[in-house]
Amino acid sequence: MAKVRRFVSPEQSAYARWLELGVRIGMAGLLIVFVLYLIGYPAAHVPPDALPRYWGLSAARYLAAVGVQPGWGWLQLVGNGDYLNLVGISFLISLTMVCYLRVLPETWRKGDMISAAIILLQVAVLLFAASGVAVFGHS
Amino acid sequence: MQLGFNWLNSVLFKHPAIALRPEVPQNAITAACTPAQPGAGGMPSEREAASNAAARGRSNGMDDPEQRWPESRTILIRLLGGLGLLAFVAACVWGGPAIAAQANLPWWAWIALLFVFCFCIGIVSVLAGVGGGVLFVPIVASFFPFHLDFVRGAGLLVALATGLASSPGLLRTGLASFRLALPLGLVASTSAIFGAALGVSLPTNLVQIALGLAIFGIVFLQWRAKKSEHPDVPKADALSAALQISGIYIDVAARKKIEWKVHRTPEALLVFAGIGVVAGMFGLGAGWANVPALNLLMGAPLKVAVATSMLLSTVVGTSAAWVYLNQGAVLAMVTVPSIVGAMLGAFVGVRLLHVVSANVVRKVIILTLTAAGFRALLTGLGI
């Protein structure tokens, strides 16, 4: 393994380490929260047996029908089983950004300014995506 | 479920369809780059060689008589499989939405069916060497009562979760290249936001028509694209040299270090911009196009292309997934069973690699995707 490590940069190793840890925590958390949702604890905003009335609607109509704001509006409902699951999903989606931020200082210290700039741009792009600004309207 | 997710990486090493070598223990990788000293950590001793041969025999199921399948059983499986496939394709083209609309099932039955279905997709995607998202979206949209928005959101997250689970191991072995993924990921993830926002905003029938056409394009790519294990790259282009995109990995089977570099980086950036739009718009993930673009266009070795594709799919999937989440297109009840089912299916698929012909599965996938593409097109046209 040591010979293989010789060909892997410290940034790449650090990225892998953080990603692996994050995926383990995220997947375990997601499974636990989903099982709790299935057994009804905490109570869901939209109970599972009511879902068939809504899952054929478009996302925009679904949000309107169940009274949830688009964007980060679902955060107000994380006390409900169904929306608590979105915390686990968001955690998994955030991992890439966290790992990029993890390797940024090392890249910067090495004087690799081009890579550091790309990493910063990538984080900015992901933050923009997470902001909820990117939408052209609703179908 | 295995917490380390190393089984996902073993897919990449065992897969016959992508011409990768059989899985070799990690210590063998170390041994491969040390001087040849029989029995002393370099070339294997006779006992080690015999042990490795036995392991290979177990792995491909050819040498061990107990692992052989009786011919009659193989014919029966193929016959049943063929009939099942024909029925599936016919249902996909003509009856999918009608079945979904008329089946008056309780919610938990749909979710159980979705879990089983995703489990099968996980198996098949490993056997055929295609990403799960590309199978998930068109087929689930045809057979399940969920709106296309929720199907695309779940498809993206299935592709993302698979990439997240397999990337750490691939990065650690040096097969996935962080440097190669950096500029391509930036371009593809930016365009994926645009694609996702467009996909959520356009009328569903238009997206269905575009999805059908995109699926036909993917089928063509899967059918025609050849793969090259070590493409010839005479000279790195100026951009890739400036970005220091190059690397070394250990080819365990060939017992040598492979140094690689890439070319045509500017053209690849344009291609990845397009891949990002399609991946985000239809929730297909990016695995279906990453490998041909990295391998055939840029000249990355096949193993590096496959591994880096997994890493890239996490970056592309991340940006598009935020858009779907913010637009309310992620339903936990659809997404979580899909992710878990697909990952468990991939786990089983790895173990079936030695009894199923990857080439046959590949043809089945092409036929299934063609049918699903027709279904999406017909649904979009209101037929």
Side-chain angles (χ1 to χ4, degrees), chain B:
Chain B
M1 182 187 291
Q2 200 171 324
L3 269 180
F5 300 113
N6 288 331
W7 52 272
L8 264 177
N9 298 342
S10 71
V11 172
L12 296 160
F13 290 87
K14 280 182 174 179
H15 203 293
I18 48 177
L20 298 182
R21 306 293 187 189
E23 186 179 28
V24 177
Q26 202 63 66
N27 56 4
I29 297 176
T30 309
C33 40
T34 53
Q37 292 172 350
M43 297 297 287
S45 66
E46 271 181 37
R47 211 171 80 180
E48 286 166 332
S51 159
N52 288 344
R56 280 196 298 275
R58 282 194 299 276
S59 138
N60 62 26
M62 296 301 289
D63 301 336
D64 184 355
E66 288 177 16
Q67 297 274 331
R68 283 186 202 143
W69 284 57
E71 202 176 336
S72 57
R73 196 186 297 181
T74 308
I75 292 169
L76 186 65
I77 287 174
R78 284 182 181 168
L79 193 65
L80 288 173
L83 286 173
L85 178 69
L86 276 178
F88 177 77
V89 168
C92 211
V93 174
W94 290 291
I99 293 168
Q102 287 169 15
N104 196 18
L105 297 176
W107 69 270
W108 54 265
W110 281 118
I111 300 308
L113 277 175
L114 180 68
F115 177 79
V116 172
F117 184 75
C118 290
F119 179 75
C120 298
I121 282 185
I123 295 175
V124 172
S125 62
V126 166
L127 296 176
V130 296
V134 80
L135 293 172
F136 179 90
V137 175
I139 301 175
V140 171
S142 290
F143 279 101
F144 287 80
F146 318 127
H147 190 274
L148 187 60
D149 286 354
F150 300 122
V151 175
R152 285 182 293 164
L156 258 180
L157 285 160
V158 165
L160 173 66
T162 316
L164 285 174
S166 59
S167 289
L170 297 170
L171 282 164
R172 223 177 268 126
T173 54
L175 284 174
S177 167
F178 184 60
R179 277 197 172 276
L180 176 56
L182 265 181
L184 303 174
L186 177 62
V187 171
S189 63
T190 308
S191 59
I193 297 174
F194 176 77
L198 196 65
V200 175
S201 315
L202 286 174
T204 306
N205 62 331
L206 258 183
V207 179
Q208 285 275 17
I209 292 170
L211 173 64
L213 296 175
I215 295 291
F216 289 145
I218 292 167
V219 165
F220 183 76
L221 194 65
Q222 294 289 328
W223 179 41
R224 298 295 297 177
K226 302 279 184 281
K227 293 181 174 89
S228 171
E229 190 150 2
H230 299 291
D232 182 34
V233 180
K235 189 171 179 279
D237 63 279
L239 184 57
S240 74
L243 294 169
Q244 299 172 45
I245 303 175
S246 60
I248 300 172
Y249 75 95
I250 310 293
D251 189 322
V252 178
R255 294 188 169 276
K256 60 181 180 183
K257 280 191 309 187
I258 307 285
E259 293 189 37
W260 59 269
K261 52 188 181 293
V262 293
H263 57 179
R264 303 190 197 115
T265 309
E267 294 93 320
L269 289 173
L270 280 177
V271 169
F272 273 90
I275 292 172
V277 172
V278 177
M281 188 167 179
F282 303 117
L284 300 173
W288 54 272
N290 284 344
V291 177
L294 289 165
N295 181 232
L296 300 178
L297 178 65
M298 298 187 77
L302 185 57
K303 289 180 183 179
V304 173
V306 172
T308 306
S309 163
M310 299 302 277
L311 179 62
L312 269 170
S313 66
T314 65
V315 186
V316 178
T318 293
S319 62
W322 277 125
V323 177
Y324 280 87
L325 184 67
N326 282 323
Q327 295 309 308
V330 176
L331 269 188
M333 192 58 88
V334 175
T335 304
V336 181
S338 302
I339 291 174
V340 177
M343 290 179 90
L344 287 177
F347 178 65
V348 173
V350 175
R351 274 132 187 88
L352 287 178
L353 276 171
H354 67 282
V355 291
V356 182
S357 158
N359 208 21
V360 171
V361 176
R362 201 168 174 75
K363 287 173 183 159
V364 169
I365 291 289
I366 286 174
L367 191 61
T368 308
L369 277 177
T370 308
F374 268 117
R375 182 63 263 161
L377 203 59
L378 294 177
T379 306
L381 294 170
I383 300 172

Side-chain angles (χ1 to χ4, degrees), chain A residues 1-8 11-13 15-17 19-20 23-24 27-28 30-31 34 37-38 48-52 54-60 62-63 69-72 74 82 85-86 89-90 92-97 100 103 110 112 114-115 118-119 121-122 125-126 128-139, chain B residues 1 3-6 26 29-30 33-34 107 110-111 145-147 149-150 157 160 164-165 167-168 170-174 176-179 181-183 185-186 189-190 193-194 197-198 200-204 242-244 248 250 257 311 314-315 318-319 321-323 325-337 339-340 343:
Chain A
M1 194 63 186
K3 298 278 182 185
V4 176
R5 282 200 189 115
R6 219 173 51 189
F7 305 121
V8 177
E11 304 92 88
Q12 185 159 322
S13 295
Y15 189 101
R17 245 187 352 263
L19 189 59
E20 184 166 49
V23 172
R24 287 181 182 191
M27 287 302 293
L30 190 61
L31 279 176
F34 187 72
Y37 171 38
L38 285 180
D49 55 356
L51 272 176
Y54 300 111
W55 63 29
L57 303 176
S58 69
Y62 168 78
L63 289 182
Q69 291 295 313
W72 287 88
W74 60 268
D82 43 356
N85 276 272
L86 296 193
I89 291 171
S90 302
L92 284 176
I93 303 175
S94 306
L95 285 177
T96 300
M97 190 162 46
Y100 267 91
V103 299
K110 274 170 67 176
D112 185 358
I114 299 178
S115 297
I118 294 176
I119 290 172
L121 275 173
Q122 182 67 73
V125 165
L126 296 178
F128 174 73
S131 70
V133 176
V135 63
F136 303 137
H138 288 295
S139 55
Chain B
M1 182 187 291
L3 269 180
F5 300 113
N6 288 331
Q26 202 63 66
I29 297 176
T30 309
C33 40
T34 53
W107 69 270
W110 281 118
I111 300 308
F146 318 127
H147 190 274
D149 286 354
F150 300 122
L157 285 160
L160 173 66
L164 285 174
S167 289
L170 297 170
L171 282 164
R172 223 177 268 126
T173 54
S177 167
F178 184 60
R179 277 197 172 276
L182 265 181
L186 177 62
S189 63
T190 308
I193 297 174
F194 176 77
L198 196 65
V200 175
S201 315
L202 286 174
T204 306
L243 294 169
Q244 299 172 45
I248 300 172
I250 310 293
K257 280 191 309 187
L311 179 62
T314 65
V315 186
T318 293
S319 62
W322 277 125
V323 177
L325 184 67
N326 282 323
Q327 295 309 308
V330 176
L331 269 188
M333 192 58 88
V334 175
T335 304
V336 181
I339 291 174
V340 177
M343 290 179 90

